[in-house]
Amino acid sequence: MANMRMDKNPMPEQDPRARLGNFDEAALGYSAEAAIDEAKRCLNCKEPRCVQGCPMAVPIPAFIAKVAEGDFKGAYDTLFAVSNLPAVCGRVCPQESLCEGRCIRGIKGEPVAIGCLERFTADWHIQNGGPSPDDEYAEPNGHRVAVIGSGPAGLTCAGELVRLGYEVTVYESMDRAGGRMMLGIPAFRLPRSVVEMEIVRLENLGVEIVTESTVGKADSVDALFEQGFEAVFIGSGAGMLLKLNVPGEDLPGVLSAKDLLMRSEELAAGVMAGKHVAVVGDGDMAVDAARTALRLGAADARVACTKPVEALPARREEVRRAQDEGVVFLPETKVTEILAGEDGRVRALKLSGSGPDELAADTVIVAVGTGPDPLLLHTTPGLGATESGGIAADPVSCATSRVGVFAGGDAVTGVGTVIGAMTAGRAAAAGIHKYIQENPHQ
Ligand SMILES: Cc1cc2nc3c(=O)[nH]c(=O)nc-3n(C[C@H](O)[C@H](O)[C@H](O)COP(=O)(O)OP(=O)(O)OC[C@H]3O[C@@H](n4cnc5c(N)ncnc54)[C@H](O)[C@@H]3O)c2cc1C
Ligand code: SF4
């Protein structure tokens, strides 16, 4: 008998004041009792709208039914058969516009808390042994594939291919694998240990990851083919900084959100003590930067955003958590100039829009986004570009204009979502498998 309560079991959270003093996760996760109770709100629909709303078509009612029975291992196995990164997706997917946005229970009340249940299931697995040593290796099929980039697109592509018996090597520029999941989304939303655990799981399946190796500098895509790889997947993301393009952008006191978020955990706790911070941007990066500034000691953090708060392309519950922590949003506001004081440092933002004409600030964080880096386009003959500077790829097979080279995720679309990148990684693995089966040892 389904639990017909209208509202979700709330996600327990660290107190907003307390969490400003640490980088620990703000959301604490369901207990087993809350998870079972929430799972019983699912109607196990015959034609589940939630699955239609999920880009990866995760078998949502099937895994939730296992949670409702208390069979958490069964729930995990059901999830992991389709998604390589369930502990990540449960935390950062914009469920409100995907699965939960379509859930039938959301018509008259709140939808089933699918994300919270996914997170619970993946965390239960981690807490009860995590990556299992007896993960089965697929029989090697004798074919080698190189993957460029270890974000969700590259890791998913690699994970799918090793399950088919391919020998897969992932090349990553940074000293850590994980892409924006590791060096972007802050730890108070996605703990590093969670990403590491998901990566270990893939390594146990046989994925090899080589860090501090930038393809296009040390080795080119052509060199990878010469080394015997039969196909290459490019999942290099969209890590190139975009500028605000207003006067004053180079003043002392202006920082990039990308740099701040990449270094946030290395910075000393009080490095922004007493600062009056203004963030410019609309998306997750802007919200994350403002919350990070407060954790680093800023006196206040205001976000100048071009849209109404309820229409921001940032996750709704994270906007709410940011507001609980004291972040103030200035909606429908355009920044036209960054103004200097007599000391030559930032003193204010000049604004146009519905609010004030000026916003005083001694620190400005630019979070207007990032775009695909052209390095691989420049160093790979035959690779075509999209109009917006990404790598052009077929939307179904992810094949590019260069034979044997596939691409997906933010490198193709510009900044998107983790689940979007994973979906592309899975499609590319299918495209690569078909290509190699039809053209062995090209
Ligand atoms: C601050 C922030 C917050 C976000 N919040 C969310 C959220 O809440 N929910 C959500 O779904 N999405 C969120 N996103 C977006 C999400 O992280 C990305 O869409 C996703 O990570 C893209 O995956 P990807 O695999 O395409 O690229 P990435 O994750 O960017 O990974 C690409 C990797 O390739 C490496 N690389 C690049 N060039 C080379 C090269 N030449 N050789 C070797 N390696 C290379 C990079 O170092 C990087 O590690 C956020 C992004 C940021 C920055
Ligand atoms: S739409 Fe909602 S109620 Fe129906 S199966 Fe999906 S999660 Fe359960």
Side-chain angles (χ1 to χ4, degrees):
M1 179 71 181
N3 169 356
M4 294 311 289
R5 217 188 47 245
M6 289 295 173
D7 51 339
K8 294 177 178 179
N9 277 272
M11 171 62 93
E13 290 178 5
Q14 263 198 80
D15 175 75
R17 290 216 153 270
R19 68 188 188 231
L20 286 180
N22 62 61
F23 273 82
D24 297 342
E25 215 175 350
L28 299 173
Y30 276 168
S31 64
E33 294 71 32
I36 291 173
D37 188 65
E38 184 62 26
K40 287 183 176 165
R41 293 186 63 233
C42 174
L43 303 178
N44 210 341
C45 304
K46 278 213 168 56
E47 286 180 25
R49 294 157 48 115
C50 54
V51 179
Q52 292 160 17
C54 173
M56 293 282 282
V58 166
I60 292 167
F63 102 80
I64 291 183
K66 299 268 183 212
V67 176
E69 289 164 16
D71 176 7
F72 304 141
K73 172 152 189 343
Y76 183 79
D77 290 344
T78 309
L79 267 179
F80 192 71
V82 179
S83 165
N84 284 309
L85 305 168
V88 173
C89 290
R91 286 173 163 82
V92 305
C93 269
Q95 289 104 4
E96 66 270 19
S97 55
L98 300 172
C99 54
E100 291 183 21
R102 302 288 297 277
C103 172
I104 194 115
R105 292 296 312 263
I107 295 174
K108 287 197 179 147
E110 286 188 322
V112 175
I114 301 167
C116 299
L117 291 173
E118 183 175 19
R119 170 192 162 139
F120 167 79
T121 305
D123 285 0
W124 179 90
H125 175 78
I126 291 172
Q127 284 151 16
N128 288 275
S132 32
D134 56 353
D135 273 335
E136 276 183 30
Y137 285 83
E139 197 59 37
N141 68 9
H143 299 287
R144 294 173 68 210
V145 177
V147 168
I148 304 173
S150 65
L155 290 179
T156 302
C157 182
E160 294 285 322
L161 288 171
V162 287
R163 288 170 195 234
L164 292 169
Y166 288 88
E167 190 186 319
V168 183
T169 307
V170 179
Y171 294 94
E172 168 55 53
S173 298
M174 307 303 291
D175 60 357
R176 268 166 289 179
R180 298 295 141 232
M181 300 184 293
M182 188 64 96
L183 292 166
I185 302 177
F188 54 81
R189 287 213 287 129
L190 182 58
R192 303 304 175 233
S193 58
V194 168
V195 184
E196 277 160 13
M197 194 60 87
E198 302 273 47
I199 291 169
V200 169
R201 183 83 158 86
L202 289 170
E203 286 176 326
N204 280 1
L205 284 175
V207 175
E208 188 199 355
I209 303 177
V210 182
T211 53
E212 298 184 90
S213 179
T214 302
V215 179
K217 283 189 181 158
D219 271 336
S220 62
V221 167
D222 286 321
L224 294 176
F225 282 117
E226 282 159 22
Q227 288 164 30
F229 291 106
E230 291 164 66
V232 175
F233 172 70
I234 303 178
S236 51
M240 196 183 65
L241 268 183
L242 298 180
K243 294 196 78 166
L244 185 56
N245 287 325
V246 298
E249 198 163 355
D250 297 323
L251 287 172
V254 180
L255 319 173
S256 93
K258 182 189 165 197
D259 291 346
L260 175 75
L261 291 169
M262 279 176 77
R263 295 190 307 128
S264 59
E265 286 146 86
E266 298 158 21
L267 294 169
V271 73
M272 288 201 181
K275 296 285 185 197
H276 301 287
V277 172
V279 180
V280 188
D282 288 356
D284 285 308
M285 200 182 221
V287 180
D288 287 342
R291 297 175 73 189
T292 298
L294 289 179
R295 281 164 174 74
L296 292 171
D300 44 56
R302 294 183 164 71
V303 181
C305 45
T306 61
K307 296 185 163 57
V309 176
E310 55 287 358
L312 289 177
R315 292 202 60 211
R316 202 180 302 154
E317 68 174 1
E318 301 301 350
V319 171
R320 194 260 305 152
R321 287 189 181 125
Q323 288 172 319
D324 290 348
E325 290 166 10
V327 174
V328 174
F329 290 84
L330 279 70
E332 298 175 80
T333 301
K334 198 165 177 297
V335 175
T336 55
E337 191 173 347
I338 303 176
L339 304 169
E342 281 176 7
D343 59 359
R345 290 183 58 85
V346 168
R347 105 176 143 73
L349 293 180
K350 198 168 168 189
L351 308 174
S352 74
S354 59
D357 295 336
E358 245 184 60
L359 171 65
D362 49 28
T363 304
V364 171
I365 304 175
V366 178
V368 288
T370 51
D373 187 322
L375 175 69
L376 287 161
L377 280 167
H378 290 163
T379 56
T380 313
L383 204 56
T386 64
E387 273 179 21
S388 49
I391 296 169
D394 181 87
V396 177
S397 68
C398 295
T400 67
S401 51
R402 170 77 188 265
V403 175
V405 179
F406 297 73
D410 286 7
V412 170
T413 59
V415 175
T417 57
V418 168
I419 194 88
M422 290 171 66
T423 308
R426 187 173 68 179
I432 289 170
H433 182 50
K434 185 165 184 289
Y435 166 74
I436 291 183
Q437 298 307 307
E438 289 171 0
N439 307 276
H441 300 292
Q442 285 288 302

